[in-house]
Amino acid sequence: MTLCEIDPLFSRQRMAAEVIAVLDETAQVKTFVIRPPSRWKGFIEGQHIPVEVEVNGVRMRRFYSISSTQQRYLREGVITITVKHQEHGRVSGFLHERVRTGGILYIGEASGSFTLNHSNPPGDIVFIAAGSGITPIISIIESLGERQPGLAMTLIYYVRNSGQVIFRERLELLSERCHRLNIHLHFTAEEGRASRDQLLRDSPNITASAVYLCGPQLFMQRVIQELKASGSSSPDIRQEHFGGPFLAERTPLPAMDKVTAKVHLQQSGREIESQGGQSLLEIAESHGLQPKFGCRSGVCHECTCVKTGGQVINRLTGELVPEEQEFVQACISIPVGAVTIENW
Amino acid sequence: MMKTTTPARSLSAEQLESLGRLLDQVRQDVLGDLGQKDADYIRGIIRKQQMAEILGRVLIHFSLTPVSWLIGVGLLSTAKILENMEIGHNIMHGQYDWMNDPKLFSQTYEWDTICDGDSWRKTHNFEHHTYTNILGMDRDYGYGLLRLTNTTPWRPKHLFQFINYFFLSLLFDWGVGLHELEVEKIRSGKTRLRDKWPFLKRFFRKARNQVLKDYVLFPLLAGPMALKVLLGNLMANLIRNLWASTIIFCGHFTEGAQTFRKQDYENESRGMWYYRQLLGSSNFTGSRWLHIMSGHLSFQIEHHLFPDIPAHRYREIAPRVRQICVAHGVPYNTGGFWRQWSTVVARIWRYSLPDSLFSEPRGLPRAG
Ligand code: FES
């Protein structure tokens, strides 16, 4: 009765979706077929949804790309997400081990701008994916293939070895149906990393095409470098970051007064760089913001803010605060690397 | 530093340092162990509270006999006490922030009482918990209404402070709601009423909603039985008030609980902060349900050391805290509920009289 008055900022729409089926794609990848409730607002291929699970009392959210099409959603009322079991990944581990057919997944509205741009040049459309980066791309290709089976498309797909190919059957089906879709599969364990010669071989016209790139950060950086080096002036590239965090989690922490950070304050739209182990509260104040605070020593929680990305160190203990903790005390939290604060 | 009359001096810098270190360790041990059972605990209490509230309101509405009406009042009082003390108070301290559950988030939770959540977070979580028992800084000490030490000069009006105490207890939710107004400062001219306007606006909005709910909406729903419902709700609120104020008075105003001066706060180390919390708070013993119904403020000492650790954990860490106190020669103020409360009553009584009637020296009260 008294629990309903919640700041709209935090009332993230959490909707229960029924799990219709769980399919094995590879040894480490599963696809979850789910039925969102009718108030769910729908999506565009390439977008992702937040999925929320509770692990040992802590709610955790991760974003997963939708790996099915709008057409299927309209026909059957279901969507799919495809999840790789990350090593030490608590959410992906929970999804793989605990979620069964007939269960419930909590999801949110779809978002993301990694979608098809209809003002693309009329040339080829090239998709480049690595690993589970294929998930948003398969839904874009399938959707296009259904609407315009004659469209010229190229998919360049990197996986470590043949056991890791996700959506093998769906890809085979697609290449049968769409005669102008070229699929190039590369096994990096044998062929090594992506190179410009290889990209040009797979898609000679690549520099004049619209490129959709999705995979781990380092992979995408490399592909962009290679494309730029291949002489193209400025290729039209859209990208979506996938896979683990950019900063390796197990790198040793710098001394507290040497920590540097880049803090993104979402509500006020600011980007602040900091050095020398300042707390989130000090950083915000030194840039003219006036967040609420009380004791400034970690007692009262008056300064607590909502951290939706990145990591902080607790100044009192010198230890890293668990990454999934969203509500952090700004007066004793020292941001490390890229950190996002939602409500400042 | 503290006056020589207080035992604070008796701890050396090393002892304070070790006190801080050991208590920090206790804190880290609990934080590292938080998990499903804590989440289940608070959600379980919330479910019980909601059931008690629904059942209580239904009984008050539809009872045909005074007995079932009284049971309804009892259930609604219980629900309100649970919501205010074990749920609201503790959530607003940030005890469940680690769960990432927006419904249990300290900064947006709003509780079922007159006091607006933001006002409470400021005056209680920040001021009271940071400046605990520092005279002139912790306005919870006597609430600007009661004379509880001989550092406040005696005035004839104090003769009647027992009446103040009674009405403060009975109307506790209104007193707490208006705490931020700082009436005593307005009277003495330190602040102006007009500076308090933003607070008053929030106060009126929350108070209006509460009054509408308990004294207009629910009674009206009962149609011709409106009066019965209004009375039942009023009773439940008063019972909650008496209970909450009694529990809270046992936390800092018992015989041995000490007070401090502003200077004590300057350059205070972590160990000294802990030390002040230890000396200024007192526990009482009792059954599991007494602890739950007091929001675990029966472990006021542990609560003041670790205000943001889930309160149901205080019970298990209390023996460790007590051991640390004993090892450092710090008094650990505890006793049966009635004994502790009787010392509170004695204190209010004692300081309603002029000091000349007593032979004790002027200064800070000593540990028991
Ligand atoms: S200001 Fe009190 S905890 Fe940060």
Side-chain angles (χ1 to χ4, degrees), chain A residues 1-3 5-7 10 54 56-59 292 294-295 300-302 317 324 326-327, chain B residues 28 35-36 43 53 93 97 99-101 105 107-110 112 121 125-126 130 308:
Chain A
M1 321 231 135
T2 45
L3 289 174
E5 295 176 46
I6 295 159
D7 187 332
F10 303 112
E54 190 167 308
N56 196 20
V58 183
R59 279 203 192 164
K292 191 167 68 141
C295 65
C300 69
H301 285 244
E302 281 286 271
T317 61
E324 59 271 3
E326 289 192 9
F327 304 136
Chain B
Q28 281 316 107
Q36 198 62 49
R43 293 197 176 121
E53 175 159 0
H93 263 298
D97 278 2
M99 288 172 60
N100 286 339
D101 184 343
F105 179 38
Q107 299 307 303
T108 49
Y109 188 90
E110 193 54 66
D112 179 15
R121 281 181 275 267
N125 293 1
F126 165 38
T130 310
D308 57 359

mmCIF file of all heavy atoms in Angstrom, chain A residues 1-3 5-7 10 54 56-59 292 294-295 300-302 317 324 326-327, chain B residues 28 35-36 43 53 93 97 99-101 105 107-110 112 121 125-126 130 308:
data_model
loop_
_atom_site.group_PDB
_atom_site.id
_atom_site.type_symbol
_atom_site.label_atom_id
_atom_site.label_comp_id
_atom_site.label_asym_id
_atom_site.label_seq_id
_atom_site.Cartn_x
_atom_site.Cartn_y
_atom_site.Cartn_z
ATOM 1 N N MET A 1 0.824 -1.191 0.000
ATOM 2 C CA MET A 1 0.000 0.000 0.000
ATOM 3 C C MET A 1 0.861 1.244 0.000
ATOM 4 O O MET A 1 0.474 2.276 -0.491
ATOM 5 C CB MET A 1 -0.853 0.064 1.247
ATOM 6 C CG MET A 1 -1.381 -1.249 1.662
ATOM 7 S SD MET A 1 -3.134 -1.113 1.894
ATOM 8 C CE MET A 1 -3.621 -2.586 1.072
ATOM 9 N N THR A 2 1.997 1.116 0.644
ATOM 10 C CA THR A 2 2.826 2.301 0.736
ATOM 11 C C THR A 2 4.029 2.165 -0.184
ATOM 12 O O THR A 2 4.851 3.038 -0.244
ATOM 13 C CB THR A 2 3.326 2.462 2.164
ATOM 14 O OG1 THR A 2 3.758 1.198 2.586
ATOM 15 C CG2 THR A 2 2.222 2.950 3.046
ATOM 16 N N LEU A 3 4.060 1.070 -0.897
ATOM 17 C CA LEU A 3 5.253 0.848 -1.702
ATOM 18 C C LEU A 3 5.096 1.334 -3.131
ATOM 19 O O LEU A 3 5.939 1.098 -3.962
ATOM 20 C CB LEU A 3 5.585 -0.643 -1.733
ATOM 21 C CG LEU A 3 6.109 -1.200 -0.427
ATOM 22 C CD1 LEU A 3 6.271 -2.688 -0.529
ATOM 23 C CD2 LEU A 3 7.415 -0.553 -0.063
ATOM 24 N N GLU A 5 4.580 4.524 -4.321
ATOM 25 C CA GLU A 5 4.991 5.856 -4.753
ATOM 26 C C GLU A 5 6.472 5.848 -5.077
ATOM 27 O O GLU A 5 7.309 5.994 -4.216
ATOM 28 C CB GLU A 5 4.721 6.870 -3.650
ATOM 29 C CG GLU A 5 3.261 7.025 -3.364
ATOM 30 C CD GLU A 5 3.041 7.971 -2.203
ATOM 31 O OE1 GLU A 5 3.689 9.032 -2.204
ATOM 32 O OE2 GLU A 5 2.252 7.644 -1.324
ATOM 33 N N ILE A 6 6.762 5.695 -6.327
ATOM 34 C CA ILE A 6 8.162 5.601 -6.712
ATOM 35 C C ILE A 6 8.454 6.669 -7.743
ATOM 36 O O ILE A 6 7.659 6.922 -8.636
ATOM 37 C CB ILE A 6 8.471 4.209 -7.276
ATOM 38 C CG1 ILE A 6 8.299 3.191 -6.173
ATOM 39 C CG2 ILE A 6 9.860 4.130 -7.831
ATOM 40 C CD1 ILE A 6 8.085 1.819 -6.662
ATOM 41 N N ASP A 7 9.578 7.287 -7.578
ATOM 42 C CA ASP A 7 10.015 8.287 -8.537
ATOM 43 C C ASP A 7 9.938 7.707 -9.949
ATOM 44 O O ASP A 7 10.438 6.625 -10.196
ATOM 45 C CB ASP A 7 11.462 8.629 -8.189
ATOM 46 C CG ASP A 7 11.978 9.779 -9.001
ATOM 47 O OD1 ASP A 7 11.508 9.991 -10.129
ATOM 48 O OD2 ASP A 7 12.855 10.455 -8.509
ATOM 49 N N PHE A 10 12.825 5.942 -11.631
ATOM 50 C CA PHE A 10 13.277 4.593 -11.314
ATOM 51 C C PHE A 10 12.249 3.535 -11.680
ATOM 52 O O PHE A 10 12.494 2.361 -11.536
ATOM 53 C CB PHE A 10 13.588 4.497 -9.827
ATOM 54 C CG PHE A 10 14.588 5.494 -9.404
ATOM 55 C CD1 PHE A 10 14.232 6.534 -8.578
ATOM 56 C CD2 PHE A 10 15.882 5.427 -9.878
ATOM 57 C CE1 PHE A 10 15.155 7.472 -8.201
ATOM 58 C CE2 PHE A 10 16.806 6.371 -9.503
ATOM 59 C CZ PHE A 10 16.438 7.399 -8.659
ATOM 60 N N GLU A 54 17.243 -11.900 -10.900
ATOM 61 C CA GLU A 54 17.690 -11.694 -9.527
ATOM 62 C C GLU A 54 18.607 -12.827 -9.133
ATOM 63 O O GLU A 54 18.214 -13.984 -9.114
ATOM 64 C CB GLU A 54 16.488 -11.609 -8.590
ATOM 65 C CG GLU A 54 16.903 -11.155 -7.206
ATOM 66 C CD GLU A 54 15.725 -10.755 -6.345
ATOM 67 O OE1 GLU A 54 14.912 -9.930 -6.801
ATOM 68 O OE2 GLU A 54 15.624 -11.277 -5.231
ATOM 69 N N ASN A 56 21.020 -14.166 -6.185
ATOM 70 C CA ASN A 56 21.369 -14.040 -4.774
ATOM 71 C C ASN A 56 20.882 -12.721 -4.162
ATOM 72 O O ASN A 56 21.617 -12.020 -3.470
ATOM 73 C CB ASN A 56 22.886 -14.182 -4.600
ATOM 74 C CG ASN A 56 23.261 -14.448 -3.145
ATOM 75 O OD1 ASN A 56 22.413 -14.881 -2.355
ATOM 76 N ND2 ASN A 56 24.487 -14.152 -2.781
ATOM 77 N N GLY A 57 19.638 -12.392 -4.446
ATOM 78 C CA GLY A 57 19.040 -11.205 -3.837
ATOM 79 C C GLY A 57 19.314 -9.903 -4.566
ATOM 80 O O GLY A 57 18.758 -8.876 -4.224
ATOM 81 N N VAL A 58 20.188 -9.914 -5.560
ATOM 82 C CA VAL A 58 20.547 -8.682 -6.256
ATOM 83 C C VAL A 58 19.940 -8.676 -7.650
ATOM 84 O O VAL A 58 20.146 -9.617 -8.417
ATOM 85 C CB VAL A 58 22.081 -8.538 -6.374
ATOM 86 C CG1 VAL A 58 22.439 -7.224 -7.029
ATOM 87 C CG2 VAL A 58 22.724 -8.648 -5.006
ATOM 88 N N ARG A 59 19.204 -7.621 -7.957
ATOM 89 C CA ARG A 59 18.663 -7.521 -9.315
ATOM 90 C C ARG A 59 19.751 -7.067 -10.260
ATOM 91 O O ARG A 59 20.451 -6.110 -9.988
ATOM 92 C CB ARG A 59 17.546 -6.485 -9.344
ATOM 93 C CG ARG A 59 16.277 -7.055 -8.864
ATOM 94 C CD ARG A 59 15.132 -6.274 -9.403
ATOM 95 N NE ARG A 59 13.955 -6.700 -8.672
ATOM 96 C CZ ARG A 59 12.829 -6.037 -8.645
ATOM 97 N NH1 ARG A 59 12.728 -4.910 -9.317
ATOM 98 N NH2 ARG A 59 11.811 -6.476 -7.970
ATOM 99 N N LYS A 292 22.306 16.453 -3.978
ATOM 100 C CA LYS A 292 21.995 16.407 -2.553
ATOM 101 C C LYS A 292 23.084 15.639 -1.801
ATOM 102 O O LYS A 292 23.636 14.675 -2.305
ATOM 103 C CB LYS A 292 20.662 15.668 -2.398
ATOM 104 C CG LYS A 292 20.051 15.759 -1.031
ATOM 105 C CD LYS A 292 18.612 15.287 -1.082
ATOM 106 C CE LYS A 292 18.531 13.797 -1.358
ATOM 107 N NZ LYS A 292 17.506 13.079 -0.643
ATOM 108 N N GLY A 294 24.655 14.824 2.560
ATOM 109 C CA GLY A 294 24.498 15.050 3.992
ATOM 110 C C GLY A 294 25.847 14.989 4.664
ATOM 111 O O GLY A 294 26.610 15.944 4.642
ATOM 112 N N CYS A 295 26.177 13.804 5.190
ATOM 113 C CA CYS A 295 27.359 13.665 6.037
ATOM 114 C C CYS A 295 28.680 13.731 5.280
ATOM 115 O O CYS A 295 29.707 13.999 5.856
ATOM 116 C CB CYS A 295 27.277 12.324 6.750
ATOM 117 S SG CYS A 295 27.380 10.930 5.597
ATOM 118 N N CYS A 300 24.977 8.486 5.737
ATOM 119 C CA CYS A 300 23.545 8.776 5.656
ATOM 120 C C CYS A 300 22.861 8.370 4.347
ATOM 121 O O CYS A 300 21.645 8.349 4.282
ATOM 122 C CB CYS A 300 23.337 10.268 5.881
ATOM 123 S SG CYS A 300 23.960 11.301 4.549
ATOM 124 N N HIS A 301 23.609 8.112 3.300
ATOM 125 C CA HIS A 301 23.046 7.744 1.991
ATOM 126 C C HIS A 301 22.295 8.891 1.300
ATOM 127 O O HIS A 301 21.614 8.663 0.313
ATOM 128 C CB HIS A 301 22.101 6.526 2.096
ATOM 129 C CG HIS A 301 22.847 5.233 2.268
ATOM 130 N ND1 HIS A 301 22.814 4.220 1.344
ATOM 131 C CD2 HIS A 301 23.656 4.806 3.256
ATOM 132 C CE1 HIS A 301 23.564 3.215 1.767
ATOM 133 N NE2 HIS A 301 24.080 3.553 2.923
ATOM 134 N N GLU A 302 22.397 10.109 1.809
ATOM 135 C CA GLU A 302 21.691 11.220 1.168
ATOM 136 C C GLU A 302 22.208 11.471 -0.247
ATOM 137 O O GLU A 302 21.502 11.973 -1.098
ATOM 138 C CB GLU A 302 21.854 12.511 1.985
ATOM 139 C CG GLU A 302 20.957 12.606 3.186
ATOM 140 C CD GLU A 302 19.515 12.891 2.815
ATOM 141 O OE1 GLU A 302 19.152 14.069 2.709
ATOM 142 O OE2 GLU A 302 18.778 11.907 2.627
ATOM 143 N N THR A 317 36.914 1.584 2.044
ATOM 144 C CA THR A 317 37.523 0.260 2.106
ATOM 145 C C THR A 317 38.615 0.084 1.065
ATOM 146 O O THR A 317 39.403 -0.845 1.145
ATOM 147 C CB THR A 317 36.473 -0.845 1.848
ATOM 148 O OG1 THR A 317 35.946 -0.649 0.526
ATOM 149 C CG2 THR A 317 35.333 -0.775 2.840
ATOM 150 N N GLU A 324 27.445 -4.663 -10.546
ATOM 151 C CA GLU A 324 26.004 -4.588 -10.757
ATOM 152 C C GLU A 324 25.315 -3.651 -9.776
ATOM 153 O O GLU A 324 24.154 -3.329 -9.939
ATOM 154 C CB GLU A 324 25.369 -5.979 -10.680
ATOM 155 C CG GLU A 324 25.589 -6.690 -9.373
ATOM 156 C CD GLU A 324 26.881 -7.506 -9.387
ATOM 157 O OE1 GLU A 324 27.602 -7.441 -10.403
ATOM 158 O OE2 GLU A 324 27.168 -8.179 -8.392
ATOM 159 N N GLU A 326 23.770 -0.651 -8.472
ATOM 160 C CA GLU A 326 23.369 0.569 -9.170
ATOM 161 C C GLU A 326 23.274 1.765 -8.250
ATOM 162 O O GLU A 326 23.505 2.893 -8.656
ATOM 163 C CB GLU A 326 22.006 0.349 -9.841
ATOM 164 C CG GLU A 326 22.070 -0.575 -11.020
ATOM 165 C CD GLU A 326 20.805 -0.547 -11.841
ATOM 166 O OE1 GLU A 326 19.948 0.317 -11.592
ATOM 167 O OE2 GLU A 326 20.692 -1.392 -12.739
ATOM 168 N N PHE A 327 22.847 1.534 -7.011
ATOM 169 C CA PHE A 327 22.668 2.654 -6.095
ATOM 170 C C PHE A 327 23.956 2.829 -5.299
ATOM 171 O O PHE A 327 24.265 2.022 -4.435
ATOM 172 C CB PHE A 327 21.494 2.387 -5.156
ATOM 173 C CG PHE A 327 20.199 2.101 -5.876
ATOM 174 C CD1 PHE A 327 19.367 1.082 -5.470
ATOM 175 C CD2 PHE A 327 19.821 2.872 -6.967
ATOM 176 C CE1 PHE A 327 18.171 0.826 -6.137
ATOM 177 C CE2 PHE A 327 18.636 2.622 -7.639
ATOM 178 C CZ PHE A 327 17.811 1.593 -7.227
ATOM 179 N N GLN B 28 32.409 -5.312 7.299
ATOM 180 C CA GLN B 28 32.767 -5.953 6.028
ATOM 181 C C GLN B 28 32.264 -7.399 5.991
ATOM 182 O O GLN B 28 31.824 -7.881 4.959
ATOM 183 C CB GLN B 28 34.287 -5.933 5.810
ATOM 184 C CG GLN B 28 34.827 -4.605 5.315
ATOM 185 C CD GLN B 28 33.983 -3.998 4.203
ATOM 186 O OE1 GLN B 28 33.277 -3.019 4.419
ATOM 187 N NE2 GLN B 28 34.018 -4.586 3.016
ATOM 188 N N GLY B 35 22.768 -11.447 0.888
ATOM 189 C CA GLY B 35 22.316 -12.218 -0.267
ATOM 190 C C GLY B 35 20.857 -12.580 -0.176
ATOM 191 O O GLY B 35 20.055 -11.862 0.425
ATOM 192 N N GLN B 36 20.546 -13.731 -0.752
ATOM 193 C CA GLN B 36 19.151 -14.136 -0.901
ATOM 194 C C GLN B 36 18.383 -14.100 0.413
ATOM 195 O O GLN B 36 17.239 -13.669 0.458
ATOM 196 C CB GLN B 36 19.103 -15.554 -1.490
ATOM 197 C CG GLN B 36 17.752 -15.916 -2.084
ATOM 198 C CD GLN B 36 17.398 -15.002 -3.254
ATOM 199 O OE1 GLN B 36 18.197 -14.799 -4.156
ATOM 200 N NE2 GLN B 36 16.206 -14.418 -3.224
ATOM 201 N N ARG B 43 11.321 -9.036 2.060
ATOM 202 C CA ARG B 43 10.090 -9.227 1.279
ATOM 203 C C ARG B 43 9.050 -9.997 2.090
ATOM 204 O O ARG B 43 7.853 -9.743 1.970
ATOM 205 C CB ARG B 43 10.399 -9.935 -0.034
ATOM 206 C CG ARG B 43 11.234 -9.047 -0.950
ATOM 207 C CD ARG B 43 11.232 -9.502 -2.393
ATOM 208 N NE ARG B 43 11.966 -8.566 -3.214
ATOM 209 C CZ ARG B 43 13.030 -8.875 -3.945
ATOM 210 N NH1 ARG B 43 13.456 -10.127 -3.982
ATOM 211 N NH2 ARG B 43 13.638 -7.954 -4.660
ATOM 212 N N GLU B 53 -2.252 -5.339 7.299
ATOM 213 C CA GLU B 53 -2.949 -4.084 7.014
ATOM 214 C C GLU B 53 -4.307 -4.352 6.363
ATOM 215 O O GLU B 53 -5.330 -3.780 6.758
ATOM 216 C CB GLU B 53 -2.091 -3.186 6.114
ATOM 217 C CG GLU B 53 -2.843 -1.931 5.699
ATOM 218 C CD GLU B 53 -1.958 -0.777 5.256
ATOM 219 O OE1 GLU B 53 -0.725 -0.921 5.253
ATOM 220 O OE2 GLU B 53 -2.529 0.277 4.910
ATOM 221 N N HIS B 93 17.284 3.954 5.347
ATOM 222 C CA HIS B 93 18.695 4.043 5.727
ATOM 223 C C HIS B 93 19.619 3.482 4.653
ATOM 224 O O HIS B 93 20.833 3.509 4.800
ATOM 225 C CB HIS B 93 18.935 3.265 7.024
ATOM 226 C CG HIS B 93 18.934 4.131 8.241
ATOM 227 N ND1 HIS B 93 19.848 5.143 8.421
ATOM 228 C CD2 HIS B 93 18.138 4.158 9.324
ATOM 229 C CE1 HIS B 93 19.606 5.743 9.576
ATOM 230 N NE2 HIS B 93 18.566 5.173 10.138
ATOM 231 N N ASP B 97 19.687 -1.062 -0.351
ATOM 232 C CA ASP B 97 20.091 -0.467 -1.626
ATOM 233 C C ASP B 97 20.847 -1.455 -2.510
ATOM 234 O O ASP B 97 20.760 -1.412 -3.732
ATOM 235 C CB ASP B 97 20.980 0.769 -1.395
ATOM 236 C CG ASP B 97 20.159 2.030 -1.104
ATOM 237 O OD1 ASP B 97 18.922 1.919 -1.043
ATOM 238 O OD2 ASP B 97 20.768 3.099 -0.941
ATOM 239 N N MET B 99 20.254 -4.319 -3.223
ATOM 240 C CA MET B 99 19.413 -5.233 -3.997
ATOM 241 C C MET B 99 19.026 -4.680 -5.365
ATOM 242 O O MET B 99 18.464 -5.389 -6.201
ATOM 243 C CB MET B 99 18.135 -5.558 -3.212
ATOM 244 C CG MET B 99 18.377 -6.471 -2.027
ATOM 245 S SD MET B 99 16.904 -6.638 -0.995
ATOM 246 C CE MET B 99 15.746 -7.337 -2.161
ATOM 247 N N ASN B 100 19.319 -3.384 -5.593
ATOM 248 C CA ASN B 100 18.969 -2.754 -6.883
ATOM 249 C C ASN B 100 17.476 -2.801 -7.156
ATOM 250 O O ASN B 100 17.071 -2.766 -8.319
ATOM 251 C CB ASN B 100 19.650 -3.456 -8.066
ATOM 252 C CG ASN B 100 21.119 -3.138 -8.147
ATOM 253 O OD1 ASN B 100 21.573 -2.145 -7.601
ATOM 254 N ND2 ASN B 100 21.861 -3.976 -8.834
ATOM 255 N N ASP B 101 16.668 -2.907 -6.128
ATOM 256 C CA ASP B 101 15.227 -2.976 -6.343
ATOM 257 C C ASP B 101 14.634 -1.590 -6.119
ATOM 258 O O ASP B 101 14.667 -1.077 -5.011
ATOM 259 C CB ASP B 101 14.627 -3.990 -5.357
ATOM 260 C CG ASP B 101 13.132 -4.184 -5.587
ATOM 261 O OD1 ASP B 101 12.520 -3.326 -6.251
ATOM 262 O OD2 ASP B 101 12.587 -5.192 -5.103
ATOM 263 N N PHE B 105 14.414 1.179 -2.623
ATOM 264 C CA PHE B 105 15.507 2.144 -2.752
ATOM 265 C C PHE B 105 15.358 3.250 -1.710
ATOM 266 O O PHE B 105 14.316 3.894 -1.612
ATOM 267 C CB PHE B 105 15.501 2.714 -4.170
ATOM 268 C CG PHE B 105 16.573 3.746 -4.417
ATOM 269 C CD1 PHE B 105 17.835 3.603 -3.861
ATOM 270 C CD2 PHE B 105 16.320 4.847 -5.205
ATOM 271 C CE1 PHE B 105 18.825 4.544 -4.090
ATOM 272 C CE2 PHE B 105 17.301 5.792 -5.452
ATOM 273 C CZ PHE B 105 18.560 5.638 -4.888
ATOM 274 N N GLN B 107 16.316 6.287 -1.336
ATOM 275 C CA GLN B 107 16.086 7.704 -1.618
ATOM 276 C C GLN B 107 14.698 8.017 -2.156
ATOM 277 O O GLN B 107 14.318 9.191 -2.252
ATOM 278 C CB GLN B 107 17.144 8.223 -2.599
ATOM 279 C CG GLN B 107 18.555 8.104 -2.062
ATOM 280 C CD GLN B 107 18.713 8.748 -0.699
ATOM 281 O OE1 GLN B 107 18.446 9.927 -0.526
ATOM 282 N NE2 GLN B 107 19.118 7.967 0.293
ATOM 283 N N THR B 108 13.946 7.014 -2.529
ATOM 284 C CA THR B 108 12.618 7.306 -3.068
ATOM 285 C C THR B 108 11.508 6.641 -2.272
ATOM 286 O O THR B 108 10.340 6.860 -2.553
ATOM 287 C CB THR B 108 12.515 6.818 -4.534
ATOM 288 O OG1 THR B 108 12.986 5.482 -4.602
ATOM 289 C CG2 THR B 108 13.322 7.694 -5.450
ATOM 290 N N TYR B 109 11.862 5.854 -1.278
ATOM 291 C CA TYR B 109 10.825 5.182 -0.493
ATOM 292 C C TYR B 109 10.009 6.224 0.273
ATOM 293 O O TYR B 109 10.532 7.199 0.779
ATOM 294 C CB TYR B 109 11.467 4.200 0.489
ATOM 295 C CG TYR B 109 10.442 3.340 1.196
ATOM 296 C CD1 TYR B 109 10.047 2.132 0.659
ATOM 297 C CD2 TYR B 109 9.860 3.761 2.383
ATOM 298 C CE1 TYR B 109 9.088 1.355 1.287
ATOM 299 C CE2 TYR B 109 8.907 2.991 3.017
ATOM 300 C CZ TYR B 109 8.524 1.793 2.466
ATOM 301 O OH TYR B 109 7.579 1.030 3.083
ATOM 302 N N GLU B 110 8.707 6.011 0.310
ATOM 303 C CA GLU B 110 7.841 6.912 1.082
ATOM 304 C C GLU B 110 7.028 6.076 2.045
ATOM 305 O O GLU B 110 6.444 5.073 1.666
ATOM 306 C CB GLU B 110 6.944 7.693 0.120
ATOM 307 C CG GLU B 110 6.215 8.870 0.734
ATOM 308 C CD GLU B 110 7.107 9.879 1.447
ATOM 309 O OE1 GLU B 110 7.908 10.540 0.775
ATOM 310 O OE2 GLU B 110 7.007 9.997 2.682
ATOM 311 N N ASP B 112 4.369 5.226 5.540
ATOM 312 C CA ASP B 112 2.991 5.481 5.957
ATOM 313 C C ASP B 112 2.968 6.246 7.277
ATOM 314 O O ASP B 112 2.606 5.724 8.319
ATOM 315 C CB ASP B 112 2.277 4.127 6.107
ATOM 316 C CG ASP B 112 0.827 4.304 6.560
ATOM 317 O OD1 ASP B 112 0.316 5.436 6.480
ATOM 318 O OD2 ASP B 112 0.232 3.311 7.004
ATOM 319 N N ARG B 121 14.878 11.722 5.863
ATOM 320 C CA ARG B 121 16.229 11.371 5.445
ATOM 321 C C ARG B 121 17.213 12.453 5.880
ATOM 322 O O ARG B 121 18.340 12.172 6.271
ATOM 323 C CB ARG B 121 16.284 11.155 3.935
ATOM 324 C CG ARG B 121 15.752 9.792 3.508
ATOM 325 C CD ARG B 121 15.836 9.593 2.003
ATOM 326 N NE ARG B 121 14.691 10.152 1.334
ATOM 327 C CZ ARG B 121 13.591 9.457 1.040
ATOM 328 N NH1 ARG B 121 13.531 8.177 1.321
ATOM 329 N NH2 ARG B 121 12.573 10.040 0.452
ATOM 330 N N ASN B 125 18.538 10.474 9.081
ATOM 331 C CA ASN B 125 19.680 9.734 8.531
ATOM 332 C C ASN B 125 20.948 10.572 8.554
ATOM 333 O O ASN B 125 22.024 10.087 8.883
ATOM 334 C CB ASN B 125 19.407 9.314 7.083
ATOM 335 C CG ASN B 125 18.305 8.284 7.004
ATOM 336 O OD1 ASN B 125 17.745 7.897 8.004
ATOM 337 N ND2 ASN B 125 18.007 7.848 5.795
ATOM 338 N N PHE B 126 20.800 11.840 8.152
ATOM 339 C CA PHE B 126 21.989 12.691 8.116
ATOM 340 C C PHE B 126 22.268 13.304 9.486
ATOM 341 O O PHE B 126 23.241 12.951 10.152
ATOM 342 C CB PHE B 126 21.822 13.761 7.029
ATOM 343 C CG PHE B 126 22.795 14.896 7.141
ATOM 344 C CD1 PHE B 126 24.116 14.671 7.520
ATOM 345 C CD2 PHE B 126 22.399 16.210 6.863
ATOM 346 C CE1 PHE B 126 25.013 15.723 7.639
ATOM 347 C CE2 PHE B 126 23.298 17.255 6.971
ATOM 348 C CZ PHE B 126 24.602 17.017 7.375
ATOM 349 N N THR B 130 24.705 11.375 12.062
ATOM 350 C CA THR B 130 26.064 11.884 11.948
ATOM 351 C C THR B 130 26.479 12.563 13.251
ATOM 352 O O THR B 130 27.594 12.372 13.735
ATOM 353 C CB THR B 130 26.150 12.892 10.785
ATOM 354 O OG1 THR B 130 25.573 12.296 9.628
ATOM 355 C CG2 THR B 130 27.600 13.248 10.494
ATOM 356 N N ASP B 308 23.462 1.265 7.883
ATOM 357 C CA ASP B 308 22.996 0.774 6.590
ATOM 358 C C ASP B 308 23.188 -0.729 6.392
ATOM 359 O O ASP B 308 23.148 -1.226 5.270
ATOM 360 C CB ASP B 308 23.631 1.572 5.441
ATOM 361 C CG ASP B 308 25.143 1.528 5.477
ATOM 362 O OD1 ASP B 308 25.686 0.905 6.405
ATOM 363 O OD2 ASP B 308 25.771 2.125 4.586
#
